[in-house]
Amino acid sequence: MIPSSLPSRRRFYPVLLAAALAASGTALHAADLKFETIELSDAFWSEGIGYADFNKDGKMDIMAGPYWWAGPDFKVRHEYDRTDERHSPAGVAPFDKTNPDGTVTKVEGFEGGKGAKNCYSDSFMTFPADINGDGWPDVLVINFPGEASYWHENPKGKDGIWPIHKAIEHTDNESPIFTDLTGDKVPELVFNTRLTEDGKESAYIGYATPDKKHPDALWTFHKISPAGDWQRFTHGCGVGDVNGDGRMDILRNDGWWEQPASLKGDPVWKFHPANFGTGGAQMYAYDFNGDGKNDIVTSLEAHGHGLAWFEQVAGKDGAIEFKQHLIVGKEASDNPDGITFAQIHAVDLCDMDGDGIKDIVTGKRFWAHGPTGDVDPSGAPVVYAFLTRRTADRQVTFKPVLISDKSGVGTEIIAGDVTGDRLPDVLTANKKGIFLHKQVKPD
């Protein structure tokens, strides 16, 4: 079970602050949102990041790559995973950097912003959770897409390397989701994977659950789809209640899979086709316009342009359909404030200004495929909050707040109260380093 001290992927914002602001009839204006960026590391260790109270001292800690930083000042770094000669399918840490004079220097981390060529880490997602039920937050780490995923067992406050357990043989998709899909108060990992059946490899969408009695055993994968053409680098995945029946559905770029009333026997879920882009990042179902129906938000293309929300509308014979509203596009004219950036490879939702409505937190992934890959690789590595603004007639606009133009995002961005001051902060990790964007109280 996840203890109450552990931030869930669905507990996005401190309730007490939101309630206090709502009661006073006030919320922060966009101009009042200010952030201080704290660089925990300038090395490339991870594209994912998370936080929890790992040492149970009442303060949140930050974890990325093979380290965790103790709160509240995040100055002391603890190694929990082996760092010497760490290997991913496309990177080695530490890496050899050739200097202008021809000499070679060993540099901490995988080759990223400090290097010259494209490499990857072995940490794409960082999901803290109490996996073995002992009351201490462990962590599930998603490796390079398609590789095995492992969970690391918290040694209950003891320093040193944490015991490691293989959880999943092949975690495909670049945006797997770790949340309570089934309603049992325990998070499941939602992704697609490849299974060998009758000597043939087939791909399925589904979710994986740990064995509560034997948490060190491989997790059980539950298929929810027929075999398909998904692969390790498939983009776009999410979880949310689309049709309002109280059950979480699985979101994909080409539609959504409706969770049935019973999961007994692992039935195939009903698929509803829809066009949510070519495959972006994390996807969410949320009622942006306040009409009582959940809409969808996602990036349209992970390595191109486009961030949009899709308004749920009534279709023919009562079917659910979606109308796209572009938030950020390829051209500056696509956004009312002239904002455009590419590589939107990580998205989160969080009530950043305390008005009781969730906002979009996202940014540009830095060097997704290296210094010369993809669209605009050298563009400013921005991080933005887009504050949701509703009008009386249920129209929606998004007010941009620039959080940083120095860090960018990786494959995961996390918004939540990391520092304990009841203001949501933002965490990012990528080939530039590891960053805490601390929200500071307005003057």
Side-chain angles (χ1 to χ4, degrees):
M1 297 292 290
I2 298 181
S4 59
S5 64
L6 184 64
S8 163
R9 291 288 293 174
R10 299 192 58 77
R11 192 183 303 135
F12 291 104
Y13 187 68
V15 176
L16 292 177
L17 175 62
L21 290 171
S24 65
T26 62
L28 298 177
H29 295 288
D32 292 330
L33 266 70
K34 294 180 173 60
F35 294 85
E36 171 192 352
T37 296
I38 300 172
E39 184 181 76
L40 279 66
S41 173
D42 64 355
F44 172 36
W45 284 114
S46 178
E47 300 266 9
I49 192 167
Y51 71 101
D53 184 5
F54 294 110
N55 57 3
K56 298 188 73 172
D57 66 351
K59 305 295 183 182
M60 291 298 174
D61 311 305
I62 298 173
M63 178 177 283
Y67 301 107
W68 65 273
W69 287 258
D73 57 10
F74 311 107
K75 292 181 178 179
V76 178
R77 186 176 82 171
H78 300 262
E79 181 184 14
Y80 79 94
D81 190 17
R82 182 179 58 85
T83 60
D84 294 334
E85 298 182 355
R86 289 167 58 91
H87 293 267
S88 82
V92 175
F95 74 94
D96 293 331
K97 181 177 180 179
T98 302
N99 303 309
D101 62 0
T103 60
V104 176
T105 303
K106 290 264 185 206
V107 179
E108 183 181 61
F110 295 92
E111 184 164 359
K114 292 181 176 181
K117 67 177 185 292
N118 186 39
C119 288
Y120 298 96
S121 75
D122 59 0
S123 178
F124 269 59
M125 297 282 166
T126 301
F127 296 127
D130 181 8
I131 292 171
N132 59 4
D134 65 357
W136 289 78
D138 312 299
V139 64
L140 172 65
V141 177
I142 308 302
N143 202 333
F144 186 83
E147 299 299 309
S149 294
Y150 298 85
W151 73 275
H152 301 256
E153 182 179 354
N154 192 323
K156 300 180 180 180
K158 298 178 182 178
D159 219 350
I161 303 302
W162 294 16
I164 187 171
H165 310 273
K166 182 187 285 189
I168 299 158
E169 288 287 0
H170 301 289
T171 305
D172 296 343
N173 194 289
E174 295 196 22
S175 303
I177 302 294
F178 192 49
T179 191
D180 181 10
L181 172 72
T182 63
D184 62 355
K185 310 302 182 183
V186 177
E188 293 88 19
L189 186 70
V190 181
F191 61 111
N192 54 272
T193 192
R194 292 155 287 144
L195 302 177
T196 300
E197 301 172 316
D198 298 327
K200 177 184 177 182
E201 187 175 80
S202 301
Y204 296 93
I205 297 171
Y207 61 97
T209 56
D211 186 331
K212 297 177 182 178
K213 295 182 179 180
H214 305 283
D216 56 343
L218 278 175
W219 294 15
T220 300
F221 182 74
H222 304 265
K223 298 184 287 188
I224 66 99
S225 75
D229 60 356
W230 308 286
Q231 40 85 21
R232 64 194 302 167
F233 301 118
T234 295
H235 288 76
C237 185
V239 169
D241 182 4
V242 178
N243 56 1
D245 63 0
R247 295 187 292 270
M248 292 293 152
D249 309 305
I250 294 179
L251 315 174
R252 308 286 291 206
N253 71 289
D254 58 352
W256 58 284
W257 296 82
E258 180 180 352
Q259 183 173 160
S262 173
L263 297 176
K264 186 177 181 180
D266 288 344
V268 172
W269 297 16
K270 182 178 179 180
F271 178 65
H272 302 266
N275 182 3
F276 299 126
T278 59
Q282 293 82 8
M283 305 175 68
Y284 301 93
Y286 182 69
D287 183 9
F288 283 100
N289 59 6
D291 66 355
K293 297 179 292 187
N294 277 341
D295 312 299
I296 306 296
V297 64
T298 187
S299 59
L300 301 179
E301 183 181 356
H303 301 291
H305 289 89
L307 174 71
W309 73 281
F310 295 80
E311 180 183 3
Q312 184 177 153
V313 297
K316 186 177 180 180
D317 298 325
I320 293 176
E321 294 184 359
F322 294 92
K323 179 181 179 181
Q324 177 181 306
H325 300 273
L326 194 62
I327 301 171
V328 176
K330 182 178 181 180
E331 307 297 334
S333 58
D334 292 329
N335 178 272
D337 295 276
I339 294 170
T340 181
F341 57 93
Q343 310 280 340
I344 303 175
H345 212 303
V347 179
D348 201 358
L349 289 186
C350 178
D351 180 5
M352 298 297 292
D353 57 357
D355 64 355
I357 303 173
K358 291 179 182 179
D359 310 300
I360 302 168
V361 185
T362 188
K364 175 184 173 63
R365 186 178 175 192
F366 175 72
W367 282 13
H369 292 142
T372 61
D374 304 312
V375 176
D376 192 25
S378 298
V382 295
V383 178
Y384 272 98
F386 290 93
L387 306 182
T388 308
R389 297 289 183 255
R390 295 172 180 167
T391 64
D393 59 351
R394 291 178 176 166
Q395 300 299 306
V396 180
T397 60
F398 293 91
K399 184 64 179 177
V401 174
L402 179 64
I403 295 174
S404 172
D405 61 0
K406 299 294 192 297
S407 80
V409 304
T411 53
E412 186 175 32
I413 185 170
I414 300 297
D417 183 14
V418 180
T419 60
D421 60 0
R422 297 185 177 180
L423 292 174
D425 313 296
V426 176
L427 296 173
T428 62
N430 59 17
K431 296 176 183 180
K432 286 184 70 68
I434 299 168
F435 303 89
L436 163 64
H437 304 291
K438 176 183 177 182
Q439 186 173 170
V440 297
K441 294 180 180 179
D443 300 330

